[in-house]
Amino acid sequence: MSTVANHLGIKDKSGTVVADPEEITDEYIAAISIPTRAFLVLCSSELEEYVEARCLSFLSDCVTGANERLQHNCLHALSIHFRSNIGKLLDGGSYVDFYATTEQAKRYAKEIKASRKKVASESAGDVDTVDPRLLNKMTLTARLCTWYSEHTVATSHGISDSDLVGLLIPLGFSSNLVRDACGTLCAALQSLAAARGEAAHRSALSSSWPFSALPTPLSQQLSLRDTWSRWEAVVDSLHEFEDLLNGSKSSGAGVEVGA
């Protein structure tokens, strides 16, 4: 993002943030509107992708790592979060044996299929039936991970503190835990998200007719230094997010169930 800031004129060639003028005039705000808006949207996109990738990496480490307690807590939290999805599978005729091996699951499916074929043949002709789905630990874990990727990560379209909490709750982190452990980061995310929202969803012509009655967009009130400071505050506090994930992986005790 430093390279982007250099290209947009937010930083000079030496990497120093361009100083604000002594007087912030309308002409100055108009001149920096495009680079500040562009930077806010781009840095927010990079941050969103980074946080989502780290959450997916954390989930992968949980289900494939050697820490059984962490794996159990994470899968338990995902099972509770996606209980309605699991319920729909059960309504469709699936059977859950969390401790069944893959071989047992295959044998069960063959036995049930053969039994149903025999009953169908004796009663109404040779009618084939659909294989019943047995959700053992391996297949259920795979489904939970897929649901998290499709229903949580793929539908998250923001970088606010609430978006961070929304990504972590299904993994077993309570809302209070996230906000306590990442207090500085959450505040920085709120600040960046407020500016990014204005930059992404308000027209650059919002000070002109027919938008003249609307409040002046926040992004048009930002100086170059203000814009960079909001991004820098997030980067400087991002270690709280990393500490939360790494601390949970090392001990297995940091994951809680509930919001």
Side-chain angles (χ1 to χ4, degrees):
M1 292 312 303
S2 292
T3 302
V4 173
N6 288 335
H7 281 290
L8 292 174
I10 296 176
K11 284 188 170 185
D12 58 26
K13 293 182 179 180
S14 65
T16 303
V17 180
V18 176
D20 295 335
E22 294 183 2
E23 181 181 358
I24 305 297
T25 63
D26 292 340
E27 289 75 16
Y28 169 75
I29 295 297
I32 67 170
S33 175
I34 292 178
T36 55
R37 288 163 61 88
F39 182 79
L40 288 167
V41 172
L42 287 172
C43 74
S44 298
S45 177
E46 292 292 328
L47 176 64
E48 181 180 345
E49 182 175 352
Y50 172 78
V51 171
E52 291 173 354
R54 286 293 291 117
C55 288
L56 289 171
S57 175
F58 175 82
L59 174 57
S60 176
D61 291 342
C62 284
V63 299
T64 61
N67 191 324
E68 294 183 359
R69 181 179 181 184
L70 179 62
Q71 182 186 83
H72 173 79
N73 289 348
C74 185
L75 292 178
H76 183 43
L78 284 170
S79 298
I80 293 176
H81 188 79
F82 293 109
R83 56 188 176 274
S84 61
N85 298 54
I86 296 175
K88 291 177 183 177
L89 284 177
L90 296 177
D91 290 340
S94 294
Y95 170 72
V96 175
D97 185 349
F98 196 70
Y99 298 100
T101 64
T102 302
E103 290 73 18
Q104 288 173 326
K106 291 179 179 178
R107 184 167 63 250
Y108 166 80
K110 289 180 180 179
E111 291 174 352
I112 295 299
K113 182 177 181 179
S115 176
R116 290 185 177 181
K117 277 188 174 182
K118 181 179 179 181
V119 172
S121 178
E122 292 176 350
S123 60
D126 190 8
V127 180
D128 199 4
T129 58
V130 178
D131 290 348
R133 293 166 294 186
L134 189 149
L135 301 179
N136 64 339
K137 183 175 183 178
M138 181 179 294
T139 56
L140 184 57
T141 297
R143 286 186 178 274
L144 288 170
C145 292
T146 298
W147 289 333
Y148 178 75
S149 178
E150 294 179 349
H151 298 294
T152 301
V153 175
T155 58
S156 179
H157 301 296
I159 45 84
S160 69
D161 57 319
S162 59
D163 294 311
L164 178 65
V165 171
L167 287 169
L168 291 175
I169 282 180
L171 299 179
F173 296 90
S174 70
S175 175
N176 289 337
L177 175 62
V178 176
R179 295 186 185 281
D180 287 344
C182 305
T184 304
L185 175 60
C186 285
L189 289 175
Q190 283 182 322
S191 175
L192 181 63
R196 181 265 181 192
E198 294 288 358
H201 302 296
R202 292 289 293 274
S203 168
L205 302 176
S206 58
S207 60
S208 306
W209 188 90
F211 309 105
S212 56
L214 295 175
T216 303
L218 178 60
S219 61
Q220 293 187 7
Q221 300 173 10
L222 292 175
S223 69
L224 296 178
R225 181 171 293 278
D226 290 332
T227 303
W228 177 258
S229 295
R230 289 175 189 249
W231 165 250
E232 193 173 41
V234 173
V235 174
D236 289 345
S237 56
L238 203 56
H239 65 89
E240 295 179 341
F241 171 61
E242 292 293 343
D243 291 344
L244 179 63
L245 297 184
N246 293 330
S248 297
K249 285 196 296 184
S250 63
S251 66
V255 179
E256 303 175 358
V257 176

